[in-house]
Amino acid sequence: MTAGPSKPPAGGAMLPHSIVLNARQMPSYAYGHRSPIWWGTLGFAAAEGMGFALAIGAYFYLVFINGNWPLSAPAPDLFWSSLFTLVMLASLWPNHMAKRNGGREDLAKSRRDLVIMSVIGLVLLGLRIMELGSLHVRWDQNAYGSILWFLLGLHTLHLVTDIGDTIVLTALMFTRHGHGKRFSDIGDNAFYWYFVVASWAPIYLLVYWFPRWW
Amino acid sequence: MTRAITSDDFDAVPEVTRLATGERGGLPGVQSEADAPPNPDELRDDQVDGPELSARLAKTWGTDQGLIGALSTVDHKIIGRRYIVTAIIFLFLGGLSAVAMRLQLAQPESTLIGPDLYNQLFTMHGTTMMFLFGVPIGEAFAVYLVPLMVGTRNIAFPRLNAYSYYVYLFGGLMIWVAFMLNIGPDVGWFAYVPLSGPEFSPGKRADFWAQMITFTEVAGIAVAISVITTVFKLRAPGMTLDRIPLFVWAELVNSFVIVFALPAVVTASAMLILDRLVGTHFFNPAEGGDALLYQHLFWFFGHPEVYIIFLPATGWVSAIVVTFARRQAFGYIPLVLSLIATGFLSFGLWVHHMFTTGLPQLGASFFTASSMLIAIPNGIQIFCWIATLWDGRPVFRAPLLFVIGFFFIFVAGGLSGIMLASVPLDSQVHDTFFVVAHFHYVLIGGNVFPLIAAVYYWFPKFTGRMMSERIGRWHFGLAFIGFNVAFFPMHITGLMGMPRRVYTYLPEMGWGNLNMLSTIGAAIFFASFVLFLYNIVSSARRGPLAGPNPWDAGTLEWAAASPPLPQNFDRIPVVTNREPLWAHRDALPVVAGLSVDNREQIVSTITHGRADLKESTPEPSIWPFIAAVATAILFIGSMFTPWAIVWGSIPLIVALMGWFWPKPSMEDER
Ligand code: HEM
Ligand SMILES: [Cu+2]
């Protein structure tokens, strides 16, 4: 046999099948990167992470264009934002537990962990509101105020999204849908939370500490 | 004779351990539901065969009748078809606005169109072509073809995919309705500040532009993520990385470029709309902002954008060249590596759009060099295609004719591009018709000609009927001549100094004859599209029946029926070769054991393509459509009051909850 195809038939007929593999016994879901949803989550984290990176880039761009920073405003207060940061860091532990107990398909503990994560999320939202309320600059005051609110707004958007997702998943686990593949979803939800925490770290340093060092 | 595939080398089906992982689903030591034995009452495809299997699967995977059914569909082929048709309608709308501009420019001091309408026309033309046609058309083909080509039954995240289509549609409708109401944007397709800022563009026009960006880019990113996941995780068993069809590689790289480039333009347009609506100062130098920040953000996206438009086209070309050369691709590995290199390099170039803004000398030289560097992977690709044709036995049917048209036009565009990459020349012809000529050679040569080729090529798969070859040849002749007559003279008018974006010019400038010639060319080019449309419509009705594989092609989409049944394949194929259908001419090796009553498909591993899971994929749902409507309300409302972000989010949240909440009857879906 040499060249690939022979004379083209006018469309041909459907090919018969020869079965070489059976999928009957394959599992119906799995955890982490074996699951397509994990890749979807990673994809969104990449796109959104790019958004964060560009916003951070824009911040530095404005710093270098202006030289003096934070323009005419005082540097932002540390209290609420630092408290927020501490709670965020502390949330890593229950988040890890949620992921682990989800992986063990332990319903009672998963419910508990998810409730804890939902409460933490709401507490963080409250802290974020206090944090925004204590800023010394408005978004329409100057470019510093604009980029500051932009960064915090972007992060708040992610915070709210994840909290919403967590609460829905928590509710789901208390219904009869709370079994099987939902346990794998707990892991993916926890994975996204890691992203929300990780993206906060550079923003916190940039917004709250950088103006003090510049 | 050719170095074609021989059955002995590749085609033997490997042993089961190389096709499947055989791993458990649960984590080590966990008694997981994932590993529960299959329900014995559920019918599986190793128990039925032939027409009965087809019919039952078609029912399981089908879309309901009626309006609600149509709006609930999650079938990637139906969504993909809508995407393709919508993007081509936008191509026609963009083309009509171009014809209007050309009529106005045909003679000096023409009074057909005034300056204000002309501004809207070139803005709508550029915006439509780049955002409503250029980006979506490549993704549209991916939505339809990638799942078929990798041998699966639906795209990953089919509801997200449906949602993104409606969001895109609503964004496009919004801006065109605004244009019809004479409040279309008039600030050019890249809407530079300060022109587009609050001071120089009061009113709503620029807001429509900025918000259209939000719509289309959200949609674009969502589709890209679905495509990436489909290629990574849903490939047929045995489809190792080096057996992925070149078209799929191109769409994969394209999706990566989209994921990393589109956030930049969303950031730019979000800052723009904030400056306009809530008084931020990102681009206002009086308050510490900076106009060039906008240009950096925009072109960080804008240059990759050119490759977002071009990369899918390379996929179409590769598929067509291989089929019509009757041999496997020459240089598969170099072709894949060039795609990847193009993807990376496309991010290194944005500053060449800003040479005239006064950059540091060294910076400018760096960007000139990297602009030229990208010619290397492009050159390699063109070389491999030509070598494939050279060494094969090419069959010159309409798809291949358009591919050859692409070679000539694109190379010409590349040459004028290399001229522009030199800073002194760019400074000279910047913002003249020379630039207009250049980017139309690149865009139309690099995307529209391959697109037409792709439509001729896959039309039998989409519709089950062949397009007329005779009309196809006429179409090609008209398109090739019309295009060159329209755009070649623009190089000269540009060198003669004619600026772009002017609604008219004086007779003394001496540009009249060349402009008349361009307009005649544009009319011929437009006529070729009318003929194309006629060919599409008449062939869809009366064309000869195609059968599954009319071109005797080698990739998996041709193993499905034409048009494909809802399940795509009655059983998932097993792949042993880059061109599976050339390797297995008598019987297709397949996997059995999937459910007939539930939507199951195979999830495989990224590199080796080993079957790992049999996972169920979502049923149809109306909620993605409702979520898209809610998104549209939120986005459009926020142009009028920032509070829309607050009240507009409530229906959106409700819709998202409906989307993710499992139906009472369906257990394992999301
Ligand atoms: C029917 C074929 C087409 C014709 C006759 C045409 C004609 C024109 C003309 C005359 C202009 C310059 C207007 C001016 O600066 O005064 C223009 C601008 C432009 N065209 Fe086209 N074009 C066609 C197709 C396309 C396609 C297929 C694309 C992209 C895929 C495209 C992208 C653009 C862009 C981005 C601009 C710049 C708009 C701006 O200045 O903001 N065009 N076109
Ligand atoms: Cu560029």
Side-chain angles (χ1 to χ4, degrees), chain B residues 136-221:
Chain B
I137 191 70
E139 295 198 303
F141 269 78
V143 167
Y144 194 110
L145 288 171
V146 163
L148 281 161
M149 281 198 179
V150 302
T152 188
R153 285 177 172 164
N154 207 350
I155 194 166
F157 320 128
R159 291 185 181 177
L160 182 67
N161 185 44
Y163 168 79
S164 80
Y165 169 71
Y166 297 118
V167 168
Y168 153 63
L169 177 68
F170 295 154
L173 282 179
M174 176 194 72
I175 198 167
W176 273 91
V177 167
F179 173 70
M180 303 293 175
L181 300 175
N182 196 24
I183 40 175
D186 57 353
V187 287
W189 81 277
F190 37 68
Y192 272 177
V193 291
L195 175 62
S196 61
E199 197 178 338
F200 295 100
S201 289
K204 284 273 158 258
R205 290 183 161 186
D207 298 332
F208 282 112
W209 182 87
Q211 212 58 319
M212 183 279 310
I213 298 289
T214 320
F215 274 99
T216 51
E217 310 313 81
V218 166
I221 292 173

Side-chain angles (χ1 to χ4, degrees), chain B residues 91 94-99 101-102 105 118 121-130 133-134 187-191 309 433 436 439-440 443-444 447-448 483 486-487 490 498-503 518 521-523 525-526 529:
Chain B
L91 171 68
L96 281 175
S97 46
V99 168
M101 288 190 291
R102 279 312 331 162
L105 294 179
Y118 193 86
L121 279 174
F122 72 68
T123 305
M124 288 302 292
H125 170 71
T127 302
T128 302
M129 289 302 193
M130 300 306 265
F133 163 70
V187 287
W189 81 277
F190 37 68
I309 290 178
F433 263 82
V436 176
F439 63 67
H440 285 88
L443 293 170
I444 296 183
N447 180 281
V448 178
F483 170 79
F487 289 97
M490 291 186 197
M498 177 167 171
R500 66 192 277 204
R501 296 177 169 178
V502 291
Y503 80 106
S518 280
F525 194 42
F526 194 78
F529 277 92

Side-chain angles (χ1 to χ4, degrees), chain A residues 16 23 26 34 61 105 143 179, chain B residues 24 32-33 290 588 592 614:
Chain A
M26 285 182 193
R34 287 172 71 190
Y61 184 91
E105 308 203 356
H179 67 97
Chain B
R24 299 175 67 253
S32 169
E33 246 185 86
D290 183 57
L588 191 67
K614 56 171 199 317

Side-chain angles (χ1 to χ4, degrees), chain A residues 8-199:
Chain A
M14 302 289 288
L15 283 176
H17 289 174
S18 74
I19 296 175
V20 298
L21 184 67
N22 198 303
R24 225 169 225 279
Q25 301 303 330
M26 285 182 193
S28 52
Y29 62 91
Y31 289 86
H33 65 82
R34 287 172 71 190
S35 154
I37 293 190
W38 188 88
W39 288 95
T41 314
L42 185 68
F44 276 102
E48 291 156 14
M50 192 68 204
F52 280 119
L54 288 160
I56 290 172
Y59 186 100
F60 280 121
Y61 184 91
L62 291 171
V63 170
F64 292 124
I65 285 287
N66 284 288
N68 75 319
W69 199 255
L71 296 179
S72 55
D77 290 342
L78 291 174
F79 179 74
W80 291 110
S81 58
S82 304
L83 196 58
F84 179 91
T85 309
L86 285 177
V87 177
M88 270 238 150
L89 289 177
S91 75
L92 289 176
W93 172 243
N95 192 50
H96 171 75
M97 295 299 285
K99 185 164 183 247
R100 203 182 64 179
N101 290 324
R104 290 179 181 164
E105 308 203 356
D106 182 331
L107 183 59
K109 285 191 180 157
S110 294
R111 284 177 173 168
R112 181 200 65 193
D113 298 335
L114 282 170
V115 169
I116 295 177
M117 285 309 293
S118 303
V119 172
I120 291 182
L122 292 173
V123 168
L124 282 168
L125 201 57
L127 290 173
R128 171 55 52 82
I129 291 170
M130 300 307 289
E131 178 191 343
L132 293 178
S134 65
L135 290 175
H136 298 303
V137 62
R138 275 171 57 98
W139 58 88
D140 54 3
Q141 198 166 320
N142 55 32
Y144 163 69
S146 306
I147 190 74
L148 179 72
W149 279 85
F150 190 79
L151 278 168
L152 293 177
L154 202 58
H155 190 262
T156 308
L157 188 67
H158 286 79
L159 186 67
V160 172
T161 313
D162 193 281
I163 296 170
D165 196 44
T166 308
I167 292 177
V168 173
L169 191 59
T170 310
L172 210 55
M173 291 313 280
F174 281 91
T175 68
R176 63 192 178 80
H177 301 295
H179 67 97
K181 198 172 167 187
R182 297 286 95 74
F183 286 114
S184 166
D185 294 346
I186 297 180
D188 297 320
N189 185 54
F191 175 51
Y192 192 76
W193 184 251
Y194 284 132
F195 167 69
V196 175
V197 176
S199 56

Side-chain angles (χ1 to χ4, degrees), chain B residues 46-74:
Chain B
D46 46 11
Q47 295 161 304
V48 268
D49 207 0
E52 191 193 343
L53 178 61
S54 296
R56 280 174 178 269
L57 283 168
K59 192 156 167 289
T60 302
W61 289 82
T63 292
D64 287 344
Q65 304 278 306
L67 186 63
I68 303 284
L71 295 176
S72 306
T73 187
V74 289

